[in-house]
Amino acid sequence: MDENCIFCKIAGKEIPSNIVYENDYVCAFYDLHPVTPVHVLVIPKIHIQDLEHVDESNSKYVEQVQLAFKEVAKIVGVDKTGYRVICNCGEDAGQEVKHLHYHMLGGKKLGTKIVHE
Ligand code: 5GP
Ligand code: ZN
């Protein structure tokens, strides 16, 4: 865990958040500034900066994140209607929080464009 990382603090319950799902490896909570009716962040419960820092030593956590999406989708009610998962990595993607996280977006039709010029 990184003591200066806001998402480590959320996963460790040091600061409050609206957690919707968690297990030993994964924590999912509502985004503070939702951009869709359903906007959940899914994170590993270990500090990984971004996708460039995934390796054999932490990939179990990333695997568990992949497995968690459908559980989270069921809980927040988008398993039948669908959702989009986005993971920003690095500067060009505009990653603000330097702890690997996946945005789950849903609750409305999202359109076909995933990149806005
Ligand atoms: P990024 O741009 O790094 O992919 O996305 C970071 C996301 O984290 C943003 O959507 C932002 O609203 C969310 N966020 C930042 N700080 C907090 C926080 O303290 N609590 C919650 N729940 N979300 C946060
Ligand atoms: Zn962290």
Side-chain angles (χ1 to χ4, degrees):
M1 290 292 142
D2 179 333
E3 62 185 26
N4 297 314
C5 172
I6 187 112
F7 285 180
C8 280
K9 288 184 179 154
I10 286 175
K13 316 265 174 60
E14 283 175 51
I15 60 169
S17 73
N18 206 339
I19 292 176
V20 296
Y21 173 84
E22 67 176 323
N23 61 30
D24 287 347
Y25 299 93
V26 173
C27 182
F29 51 97
Y30 284 109
D31 196 291
L32 203 53
H33 303 292
V35 297
T36 49
V38 173
H39 186 172
V40 175
L41 298 173
V42 186
I43 67 170
K45 277 188 175 176
I46 188 176
H47 187 79
I48 304 171
Q49 183 177 319
D50 58 29
L51 287 173
E52 288 290 308
H53 292 78
V54 175
D55 57 32
E56 290 299 329
S57 76
N58 55 31
S59 60
K60 172 80 178 170
Y61 285 81
V62 181
E63 177 191 322
Q64 289 292 316
V65 167
Q66 299 295 318
L67 292 170
F69 290 131
K70 66 178 184 182
E71 306 302 332
V72 175
K74 226 179 287 171
I75 290 165
V76 300
V78 295
D79 55 320
K80 301 286 194 300
T81 47
Y83 51 94
R84 181 172 292 157
V85 177
I86 293 176
C87 180
N88 293 317
C89 178
E91 200 180 328
D92 278 2
Q95 182 183 1
E96 282 173 15
V97 179
K98 306 292 191 283
H99 179 129
L100 181 63
H101 56 277
Y102 297 76
H103 298 257
M104 281 183 77
L105 306 171
K108 71 167 195 173
K109 285 242 184 282
L110 296 172
T112 55
K113 285 200 161 74
I114 56 170
V115 175
H116 297 280
E117 300 300 328

Coordinates of all heavy atoms in Angstrom, one line a residue, residues 17-66:
S17 N -15.9 5.9 1.4 CA -16.4 5.9 0.0 C -17.6 5.0 0.0 O -17.9 4.4 1.0 CB -15.3 5.4 -0.9 OG -15.2 4.0 -0.8
N18 N -18.3 5.1 -1.1 CA -19.5 4.3 -1.3 C -19.1 2.9 -1.9 O -19.2 2.8 -3.2 CB -20.5 5.1 -2.2 CG -21.9 4.7 -1.9 OD1 -22.2 3.6 -1.3 ND2 -22.8 5.6 -2.2
I19 N -18.7 2.0 -1.1 CA -18.2 0.7 -1.6 C -19.4 -0.2 -2.0 O -20.4 -0.3 -1.2 CB -17.3 0.0 -0.6 CG1 -16.0 0.7 -0.4 CG2 -17.1 -1.5 -1.0 CD1 -15.1 0.2 0.6
V20 N -19.4 -0.7 -3.2 CA -20.5 -1.6 -3.7 C -20.2 -3.1 -3.6 O -21.0 -3.9 -3.5 CB -21.0 -1.2 -5.1 CG1 -21.6 0.2 -5.1 CG2 -19.9 -1.4 -6.1
Y21 N -18.9 -3.4 -3.7 CA -18.4 -4.8 -3.7 C -17.0 -4.8 -3.2 O -16.2 -4.0 -3.6 CB -18.6 -5.3 -5.1 CG -18.0 -6.7 -5.2 CD1 -18.7 -7.9 -4.9 CD2 -16.7 -6.9 -5.7 CE1 -18.2 -9.1 -5.0 CE2 -16.2 -8.2 -5.9 CZ -16.9 -9.3 -5.5 OH -16.4 -10.6 -5.7
E22 N -16.6 -5.9 -2.5 CA -15.2 -6.1 -2.3 C -15.0 -7.6 -1.9 O -15.9 -8.3 -1.5 CB -14.6 -5.2 -1.1 CG -15.2 -5.5 0.2 CD -14.5 -4.6 1.3 OE1 -13.3 -4.3 1.2 OE2 -15.2 -4.1 2.2
N23 N -13.7 -8.0 -2.1 CA -13.3 -9.3 -1.7 C -11.8 -9.1 -1.3 O -11.4 -8.0 -1.1 CB -13.5 -10.4 -2.7 CG -12.7 -10.1 -4.0 OD1 -11.7 -9.5 -4.0 ND2 -13.3 -10.6 -5.1
D24 N -11.1 -10.2 -1.1 CA -9.7 -10.1 -0.6 C -8.8 -9.3 -1.6 O -7.8 -8.7 -1.2 CB -9.1 -11.4 -0.4 CG -9.7 -12.1 0.9 OD1 -10.3 -11.4 1.6 OD2 -9.4 -13.3 1.0
Y25 N -9.2 -9.3 -2.9 CA -8.3 -8.7 -3.9 C -8.8 -7.4 -4.5 O -8.0 -6.7 -5.1 CB -8.1 -9.7 -5.0 CG -7.5 -11.0 -4.6 CD1 -8.3 -12.1 -4.2 CD2 -6.1 -11.2 -4.6 CE1 -7.7 -13.3 -3.8 CE2 -5.5 -12.4 -4.2 CZ -6.3 -13.4 -3.8 OH -5.8 -14.6 -3.4
V26 N -10.1 -7.2 -4.4 CA -10.7 -6.1 -5.2 C -11.6 -5.3 -4.4 O -12.2 -5.8 -3.5 CB -11.6 -6.9 -6.3 CG1 -12.4 -5.8 -7.1 CG2 -10.7 -7.7 -7.3
C27 N -11.7 -4.0 -4.8 CA -12.6 -3.1 -4.1 C -13.3 -2.3 -5.3 O -12.7 -1.9 -6.2 CB -11.9 -2.2 -3.2 SG -13.0 -1.0 -2.3
A28 N -14.7 -2.2 -5.2 CA -15.4 -1.4 -6.2 C -16.3 -0.4 -5.4 O -16.9 -0.7 -4.5 CB -16.3 -2.3 -7.0
F29 N -16.2 0.9 -5.9 CA -16.9 1.9 -5.2 C -17.4 3.0 -6.3 O -16.8 3.1 -7.4 CB -16.0 2.6 -4.2 CG -14.7 3.0 -4.7 CD1 -14.4 4.3 -5.1 CD2 -13.6 2.1 -4.8 CE1 -13.2 4.7 -5.6 CE2 -12.4 2.5 -5.3 CZ -12.2 3.8 -5.7
Y30 N -18.4 3.7 -5.9 CA -18.9 4.7 -6.9 C -18.0 5.9 -7.0 O -17.4 6.3 -6.1 CB -20.3 5.3 -6.3 CG -21.4 4.3 -6.6 CD1 -22.0 3.6 -5.5 CD2 -21.9 4.1 -7.8 CE1 -23.1 2.8 -5.7 CE2 -23.0 3.2 -8.1 CZ -23.5 2.5 -7.0 OH -24.6 1.7 -7.2
D31 N -17.8 6.3 -8.3 CA -17.0 7.5 -8.6 C -17.6 8.7 -8.0 O -18.8 8.9 -8.0 CB -16.9 7.6 -10.1 CG -15.7 8.6 -10.5 OD1 -15.8 9.8 -10.2 OD2 -14.7 8.1 -11.1
L32 N -16.7 9.6 -7.5 CA -17.1 10.8 -6.8 C -17.8 11.8 -7.8 O -18.7 12.5 -7.4 CB -15.9 11.5 -6.2 CG -16.0 12.5 -5.1 CD1 -16.8 11.9 -3.9 CD2 -14.6 12.9 -4.6
H33 N -17.4 11.7 -9.0 CA -17.9 12.6 -10.1 C -18.4 11.8 -11.2 O -17.8 11.7 -12.3 CB -16.9 13.6 -10.5 CG -16.3 14.5 -9.4 ND1 -17.1 15.4 -8.7 CD2 -15.1 14.5 -8.8 CE1 -16.3 15.9 -7.8 NE2 -15.1 15.4 -7.8
P34 N -19.6 11.1 -11.1 CA -20.1 10.2 -12.1 C -20.3 10.9 -13.4 O -20.9 12.0 -13.5 CB -21.4 9.7 -11.5 CG -21.8 10.6 -10.5 CD -20.5 11.2 -9.9
V35 N -20.0 10.2 -14.5 CA -20.2 10.8 -15.9 C -21.4 10.0 -16.6 O -21.8 10.4 -17.7 CB -19.0 10.8 -16.8 CG1 -17.9 11.7 -16.1 CG2 -18.4 9.4 -17.0
T36 N -21.8 9.0 -16.0 CA -23.0 8.2 -16.5 C -23.9 7.9 -15.2 O -23.4 7.9 -14.1 CB -22.5 6.9 -17.2 OG1 -21.6 6.2 -16.4 CG2 -21.9 7.2 -18.5
P37 N -25.1 7.5 -15.5 CA -26.0 7.2 -14.3 C -25.4 6.1 -13.4 O -25.5 6.2 -12.2 CB -27.3 6.6 -15.0 CG -27.3 7.3 -16.3 CD -25.9 7.4 -16.7
V38 N -24.7 5.2 -14.0 CA -23.9 4.2 -13.2 C -22.4 4.4 -13.5 O -22.0 4.3 -14.7 CB -24.3 2.7 -13.5 CG1 -23.4 1.8 -12.7 CG2 -25.8 2.5 -13.0
H39 N -21.6 4.7 -12.5 CA -20.2 4.9 -12.7 C -19.4 4.4 -11.5 O -19.4 5.1 -10.4 CB -19.9 6.4 -12.9 CG -18.5 6.7 -13.3 ND1 -18.0 8.0 -13.7 CD2 -17.4 5.9 -13.3 CE1 -16.7 8.0 -13.9 NE2 -16.3 6.7 -13.7
V40 N -18.9 3.3 -11.6 CA -18.2 2.6 -10.5 C -16.7 2.4 -10.9 O -16.4 2.2 -12.1 CB -18.8 1.2 -10.3 CG1 -18.1 0.4 -9.3 CG2 -20.3 1.3 -9.9
L41 N -15.9 2.5 -9.9 CA -14.4 2.3 -10.1 C -14.1 1.0 -9.5 O -14.5 0.7 -8.3 CB -13.6 3.4 -9.5 CG -13.8 4.8 -10.0 CD1 -13.1 5.8 -9.1 CD2 -13.4 4.9 -11.5
V42 N -13.4 0.1 -10.2 CA -13.0 -1.2 -9.7 C -11.5 -1.2 -9.6 O -10.8 -0.9 -10.6 CB -13.5 -2.3 -10.6 CG1 -13.1 -3.7 -9.9 CG2 -15.0 -2.2 -10.8
I43 N -10.9 -1.5 -8.4 CA -9.5 -1.4 -8.2 C -8.9 -2.6 -7.5 O -9.7 -3.3 -6.8 CB -9.1 -0.1 -7.3 CG1 -9.6 -0.3 -5.9 CG2 -9.6 1.2 -8.0 CD1 -9.0 0.8 -4.9
P44 N -7.7 -2.9 -7.8 CA -7.0 -4.0 -7.0 C -6.7 -3.5 -5.6 O -6.4 -2.3 -5.5 CB -5.7 -4.3 -7.8 CG -5.4 -3.0 -8.5 CD -6.8 -2.3 -8.8
K45 N -6.7 -4.4 -4.6 CA -6.4 -4.0 -3.2 C -4.9 -4.1 -3.0 O -4.4 -4.6 -2.0 CB -7.1 -4.9 -2.2 CG -8.6 -4.5 -2.0 CD -9.1 -5.3 -0.8 CE -10.5 -4.9 -0.4 NZ -11.1 -5.8 0.6
I46 N -4.1 -3.6 -4.0 CA -2.7 -3.6 -3.9 C -2.3 -2.4 -4.7 O -3.0 -2.1 -5.7 CB -2.0 -4.9 -4.3 CG1 -0.5 -4.9 -4.1 CG2 -2.3 -5.1 -5.8 CD1 0.1 -6.2 -4.5
H47 N -1.3 -1.6 -4.3 CA -0.9 -0.4 -5.1 C -0.2 -0.8 -6.4 O 1.0 -1.3 -6.3 CB -0.1 0.5 -4.3 CG 0.1 1.8 -5.1 ND1 -0.8 2.8 -5.1 CD2 1.2 2.3 -5.8 CE1 -0.4 3.8 -5.9 NE2 0.8 3.5 -6.3
I48 N -0.9 -0.7 -7.5 CA -0.3 -0.8 -8.8 C -0.5 0.5 -9.5 O -1.6 1.0 -9.6 CB -0.9 -2.0 -9.7 CG1 -0.9 -3.3 -8.9 CG2 -0.2 -2.1 -11.0 CD1 -1.7 -4.4 -9.5
Q49 N 0.6 1.1 -10.0 CA 0.4 2.5 -10.6 C -0.5 2.5 -11.8 O -1.4 3.4 -11.9 CB 1.8 3.0 -11.0 CG 1.7 4.5 -11.5 CD 3.1 5.0 -11.8 OE1 4.0 4.8 -11.1 NE2 3.2 5.7 -12.9
D50 N -0.3 1.6 -12.7 CA -1.1 1.6 -13.9 C -0.8 0.3 -14.7 O -0.1 -0.6 -14.2 CB -0.9 2.8 -14.8 CG 0.6 3.0 -15.2 OD1 1.3 1.9 -15.3 OD2 1.1 4.1 -15.4
L51 N -1.4 0.1 -15.9 CA -1.2 -1.1 -16.6 C 0.2 -1.4 -17.0 O 0.6 -2.6 -17.2 CB -2.1 -1.1 -17.9 CG -3.6 -1.3 -17.7 CD1 -4.3 -1.0 -19.0 CD2 -3.9 -2.6 -17.2
E52 N 1.0 -0.3 -17.1 CA 2.5 -0.5 -17.3 C 3.2 -1.2 -16.2 O 4.4 -1.5 -16.3 CB 3.1 0.9 -17.7 CG 2.7 1.4 -19.0 CD 3.4 0.6 -20.1 OE1 4.6 0.4 -20.1 OE2 2.6 0.2 -21.0
H53 N 2.6 -1.2 -15.0 CA 3.2 -1.8 -13.8 C 2.6 -3.1 -13.4 O 2.8 -3.6 -12.3 CB 3.1 -0.8 -12.7 CG 4.0 0.4 -12.9 ND1 3.6 1.4 -13.7 CD2 5.2 0.7 -12.4 CE1 4.5 2.4 -13.8 NE2 5.5 2.0 -13.0
V54 N 1.8 -3.8 -14.3 CA 1.3 -5.1 -14.0 C 2.4 -6.1 -14.4 O 3.0 -6.0 -15.5 CB 0.0 -5.4 -14.8 CG1 -0.4 -6.8 -14.7 CG2 -1.1 -4.4 -14.4
D55 N 2.7 -7.0 -13.5 CA 3.6 -8.1 -13.8 C 3.2 -9.4 -13.0 O 2.2 -9.4 -12.4 CB 5.1 -7.7 -13.5 CG 5.2 -7.2 -12.0 OD1 4.5 -7.8 -11.1 OD2 6.0 -6.3 -11.7
E56 N 4.1 -10.4 -13.1 CA 3.7 -11.7 -12.5 C 3.5 -11.6 -11.0 O 2.8 -12.3 -10.4 CB 4.9 -12.7 -12.7 CG 5.0 -13.1 -14.2 CD 3.7 -13.8 -14.7 OE1 3.0 -14.5 -13.9 OE2 3.4 -13.7 -15.9
S57 N 4.1 -10.6 -10.3 CA 4.0 -10.5 -8.9 C 2.7 -9.9 -8.4 O 2.3 -10.1 -7.3 CB 5.1 -9.6 -8.3 OG 4.8 -8.2 -8.6
N58 N 1.9 -9.2 -9.3 CA 0.7 -8.7 -8.9 C -0.5 -9.0 -9.8 O -1.6 -8.6 -9.6 CB 0.8 -7.1 -8.8 CG 1.3 -6.5 -10.1 OD1 1.0 -7.0 -11.2 ND2 2.0 -5.4 -10.0
S59 N -0.3 -9.9 -10.8 CA -1.3 -10.2 -11.8 C -2.5 -11.0 -11.3 O -3.6 -10.9 -11.8 CB -0.7 -11.0 -13.0 OG -0.1 -12.2 -12.6
K60 N -2.3 -11.6 -10.1 CA -3.4 -12.3 -9.5 C -4.5 -11.2 -9.1 O -5.7 -11.5 -9.3 CB -3.0 -13.0 -8.2 CG -4.1 -13.5 -7.3 CD -4.6 -14.9 -7.8 CE -5.6 -15.5 -6.9 NZ -6.3 -16.6 -7.5
Y61 N -4.1 -10.1 -8.7 CA -5.1 -9.0 -8.4 C -5.8 -8.5 -9.6 O -7.0 -8.2 -9.6 CB -4.3 -7.8 -7.7 CG -3.9 -8.1 -6.2 CD1 -2.8 -8.9 -6.0 CD2 -4.7 -7.7 -5.2 CE1 -2.4 -9.2 -4.7 CE2 -4.4 -8.0 -3.9 CZ -3.2 -8.7 -3.6 OH -2.9 -9.0 -2.3
V62 N -5.1 -8.4 -10.7 CA -5.7 -8.0 -11.9 C -6.6 -9.0 -12.5 O -7.7 -8.7 -13.0 CB -4.5 -7.6 -13.0 CG1 -5.1 -7.1 -14.3 CG2 -3.6 -6.6 -12.4
E63 N -6.3 -10.2 -12.3 CA -7.2 -11.3 -12.7 C -8.5 -11.3 -11.9 O -9.6 -11.4 -12.5 CB -6.5 -12.7 -12.5 CG -7.3 -13.9 -12.8 CD -6.7 -15.2 -12.3 OE1 -5.4 -15.3 -12.3 OE2 -7.4 -16.0 -11.8
Q64 N -8.3 -11.0 -10.7 CA -9.5 -10.9 -9.8 C -10.4 -9.7 -10.2 O -11.6 -9.8 -10.0 CB -9.1 -10.8 -8.3 CG -8.5 -12.2 -7.8 CD -9.6 -13.2 -7.7 OE1 -10.7 -13.0 -7.2 NE2 -9.3 -14.4 -8.1
V65 N -9.8 -8.6 -10.6 CA -10.5 -7.5 -11.1 C -11.4 -7.9 -12.3 O -12.6 -7.6 -12.3 CB -9.6 -6.3 -11.4 CG1 -10.4 -5.2 -12.2 CG2 -9.0 -5.7 -10.2
Q66 N -10.8 -8.6 -13.2 CA -11.5 -9.1 -14.4 C -12.7 -9.9 -14.0 O -13.8 -9.8 -14.6 CB -10.6 -9.9 -15.3 CG -9.4 -9.1 -15.8 CD -9.8 -8.0 -16.8 OE1 -10.6 -8.2 -17.6 NE2 -9.1 -6.9 -16.6

